[in-house]
Amino acid sequence: MTEASEAAQADRTLKARHRAMWALGDYPSVASHVIPELGSVLVQECGVRRGDRVLDIAAGSGNAAIPAALAGADVVASDLTPELLEIGRHLAAVRGTHLEWREADAEALPFADGEFDTVMSCVGIMFAPHHRPAAEEMLRVCRAGGTIGLINWTPQGFVGQLFATMKPYAPPPPPGAQPPPLWGEEEHVHELLGDAVTDVDARRQTVRVEAFAKPTAFREFFKACYGPTIAVYRHVADDPDRVAALDGDLDALAAEHTADGVMEWEYLLLTAHRRG
């Protein structure tokens, strides 16, 4: 096997792992019950209008894609995990709107150059393991003058700290894979987008989370519903001491970020225009 074919096989294996991880549990419940407003925030900030051609990358079950369709846009929701797309189809039908659902790798999008007026991702593209190819694909499919819109968890915020807390219990990342919360660092995103964009507006905001009355409620919900957390628990499942330690660390993290039953999860909101 050649070096190139070995690399291709390694990438296919990695993407299969990602696809399986996000199919674990019930991510649509996280999107719809914990952070339901984030998608609408991104759609509004992108200025999506009726008739716009919109791509939502790593759309999951449509947290941003469905609001864009409800705004009258012609929307394609793409994701690596077909199970999430199937749920999204159902949710869109319930809300009385129609959009296209496409299984697609964020690092190799099956769309033409400049095909979309708006290319966006709501806490999605950040989980593509190789950041630069994902950013290049996002830019490639956006037309000149079109809008790029991103919401990504920051490393310093609660979800970024969640990944830092789980890291000692997780298997080592594959060579070349980058930490998802880097997409929440403005400098990192500027480096990825470079001179291909103009009119960059980046600011940190928080989403108010009131879904968990106490820290243990957060932990149990994420153990049951959030693919990355489920995968980490599976990795240490044969070691009861490590499971208990992870339980304690997640409870402590949630307690640190909870006041009167309310959490504030920080994210970076970034919009820009594709340079012509």
Side-chain angles (χ1 to χ4, degrees):
M1 183 178 290
T2 66
E3 184 176 338
S5 60
E6 288 178 354
Q9 180 57 48
D11 188 65
R12 286 192 292 270
T13 300
L14 174 59
K15 298 300 171 57
R17 285 174 50 191
H18 271 248
R19 185 181 299 114
M21 179 183 71
W22 288 106
L24 295 172
D26 186 6
Y27 181 75
S29 287
V30 178
S32 61
H33 299 308
V34 181
I35 52 169
E37 65 267 39
L38 272 193
S40 295
V41 168
L42 183 58
V43 170
Q44 181 175 350
E45 291 293 332
C46 287
V48 172
R49 299 169 297 180
R50 181 171 300 278
D52 284 351
R53 177 81 165 149
V54 175
L55 173 65
D56 186 5
I57 299 175
S61 53
N63 198 29
I66 292 174
L70 289 169
D74 175 14
V75 181
V76 178
S78 70
D79 199 276
L80 191 65
T81 304
E83 292 88 345
L84 297 180
L85 298 176
E86 191 58 38
I87 294 169
R89 287 188 185 93
H90 171 72
L91 294 175
V94 168
R95 297 187 65 177
T97 192
H98 174 77
L99 55 152
E100 182 181 351
W101 301 86
R102 289 281 300 275
E103 184 177 345
D105 181 351
E107 298 176 14
L109 295 170
F111 307 112
D113 295 357
E115 184 172 340
F116 297 94
D117 300 301
T118 295
V119 180
M120 62 182 184
S121 185
C122 183
V123 296
I125 197 173
M126 65 183 291
F127 292 103
H130 307 112
H131 294 185
R132 186 160 300 281
E136 290 173 350
E137 282 293 272
M138 177 176 60
L139 292 166
R140 180 183 66 79
V141 301
C142 185
R143 67 166 175 82
T147 299
I148 299 290
L150 298 166
I151 284 180
N152 295 313
W153 302 120
T154 67
Q156 301 81 10
F158 176 75
V159 179
Q161 290 301 299
L162 170 65
F163 278 91
T165 299
M166 295 192 299
K167 183 177 179 179
Y169 301 93
Q178 295 175 276
L182 277 179
W183 276 91
E185 289 280 15
E186 185 176 346
E187 296 79 7
H188 182 67
V189 183
H190 276 300
E191 181 183 352
L192 291 174
L193 302 182
D195 294 334
V197 297
T198 185
D199 304 323
V200 177
D201 180 17
R203 57 188 185 273
R204 294 189 179 202
Q205 299 187 172
T206 61
V207 58
R208 183 180 176 93
V209 175
E210 300 179 89
F212 310 111
K214 51 186 179 180
T216 54
F218 162 80
R219 185 239 301 164
E220 290 302 318
F221 182 85
F222 265 56
K223 282 176 72 171
C225 295
Y226 193 57
T229 304
I230 296 169
V232 170
Y233 271 98
R234 288 187 175 184
H235 183 65
V236 299
D238 293 335
D239 189 337
D241 290 339
R242 296 196 76 197
V243 171
L246 179 54
D247 282 347
D249 286 349
L250 292 186
D251 288 349
L253 177 69
E256 178 185 347
H257 287 263
T258 302
D260 298 323
V262 176
M263 308 174 84
E264 298 282 348
W265 295 5
E266 184 182 71
Y267 61 88
L268 178 71
L269 170 64
L270 184 144
T271 57
H273 291 120
R274 181 73 163 92
R275 192 180 296 275

